[in-house]
Amino acid sequence: MDVLPAPVDPVPDPWPMSGLTLRTPRLELRVEDDASVRELIAAVHESGIHPSSEMPFRVPWTRADPRHLGRGIAQYVWSNRAKASPDWWTLQFVVRAEGRVVGLQDVVGDRFGVRREVATGSYLVRRAQGRGYGTEMRAAVLAFAFDHLGALAARSEYVEGNPRSAAVSARLGYRDDGTATIDHGDTRVTEYRVLLTREAFVRPGWELRVAGYTDDLAGFLAADPPAGQP
């Protein structure tokens, strides 16, 4: 009688970030793939992010030649994928409201397994601003970081002249954590740094729904395992 070979373990998912999704009452945040990055680029081209007279970002990437702005967005996303490891990673969530892409929300971990801190950054296209989405999407990733990854603190920053980011931080419980002087080409501006602890987080009045947070992903992020796992 022939002896069947022992079953082979399935090939591990080569990219365990794929499929990670956060849902709030109004928004879906899903880790990017190439198709969603194309949707994001189209939304940025259609609506823009801020008036040309303003620069709300530390790195003035939106001043790129419009013909090449989409390429820069894609290269930024791809470069973060390429660098990701348990020592340094970025979760880049494409944000949708009513099925349409409205922005990007990221969460960065630098030696997260030791430091237990994350940093966040985000933007919304102009047609989606003024609706409270910025607060909702940052609250979503903070709840995920504190309640699922095991973060103890979260950091953010905003540059002088970006009151929207400052207001989101204030609503969610961040405290001032110093300043730095940075340059936007020939312009000298102040960057304000803020810090949020898990205990100080002003939680929203809704419960975050999480899908796709697996053992493999937790190991890749050097984070706590999914609830119920050792």
Side-chain angles (χ1 to χ4, degrees):
M1 184 175 69
D2 292 338
V3 178
L4 296 176
V8 177
D9 290 337
V11 176
D13 185 347
W15 196 243
M17 292 185 185
S18 62
L20 178 62
T21 307
L22 313 180
R23 291 185 175 90
T24 74
R26 299 187 297 168
L27 304 176
E28 177 189 85
L29 293 77
R30 185 183 293 269
V31 167
E32 49 72 25
D33 58 16
D34 283 352
S36 63
V37 170
R38 285 182 175 272
E39 289 182 74
L40 175 66
I41 291 167
V44 170
H45 274 285
E46 174 193 355
S47 184
I49 299 174
H50 58 82
S52 59
S53 59
E54 300 177 5
M55 178 44 64
F57 302 122
R58 189 181 202 280
V59 176
W61 60 273
T62 49
R63 288 182 179 156
D65 185 325
R67 296 172 299 172
H68 308 310
L69 181 61
R71 181 187 304 167
I73 292 172
Q75 289 177 316
Y76 171 77
V77 170
W78 296 334
S79 69
N80 284 334
R81 285 187 204 164
K83 292 186 293 185
S85 75
D87 283 338
W88 187 95
W89 45 260
T90 302
L91 296 172
Q92 302 173 111
F93 293 97
V94 172
V95 183
R96 287 180 172 82
E98 299 178 343
R100 298 181 67 190
V101 169
V102 296
L104 185 75
Q105 173 73 62
D106 66 26
V107 183
V108 180
D110 184 358
R111 293 283 292 162
F112 181 80
V114 176
R115 297 176 62 200
R116 293 284 155 168
E117 290 186 353
V118 296
T120 64
S122 66
Y123 59 84
L124 285 165
V125 298
R126 291 181 71 178
R127 62 173 167 77
Q129 294 172 12
R131 304 182 188 183
Y133 292 158
T135 301
E136 193 166 328
M137 62 203 227
R138 200 190 312 179
V141 296
L142 290 171
F144 177 64
F146 289 139
D147 299 341
H148 295 264
L149 300 182
L152 301 177
R155 297 182 181 274
S156 187
E157 64 276 326
Y158 59 92
V159 297
E160 180 181 354
N162 188 357
R164 291 189 181 92
S165 180
V168 169
S169 296
R171 289 188 199 104
L172 294 173
Y174 289 78
R175 64 171 175 80
D176 293 340
D177 194 43
T179 64
T181 300
I182 62 172
D183 67 272
H184 281 171
D186 296 330
T187 306
R188 180 172 180 257
V189 298
T190 301
E191 177 183 76
Y192 297 89
R193 297 171 178 176
V194 289
L195 172 68
L196 178 68
T197 62
R198 180 159 59 186
E199 295 76 19
F201 178 33
V202 178
R203 292 179 175 273
W206 41 261
E207 184 175 350
L208 180 69
R209 292 175 291 157
V210 178
Y213 185 53
T214 64
D215 288 333
D216 282 346
L217 179 54
F220 186 75
L221 303 179
D224 286 354
Q229 300 296 318

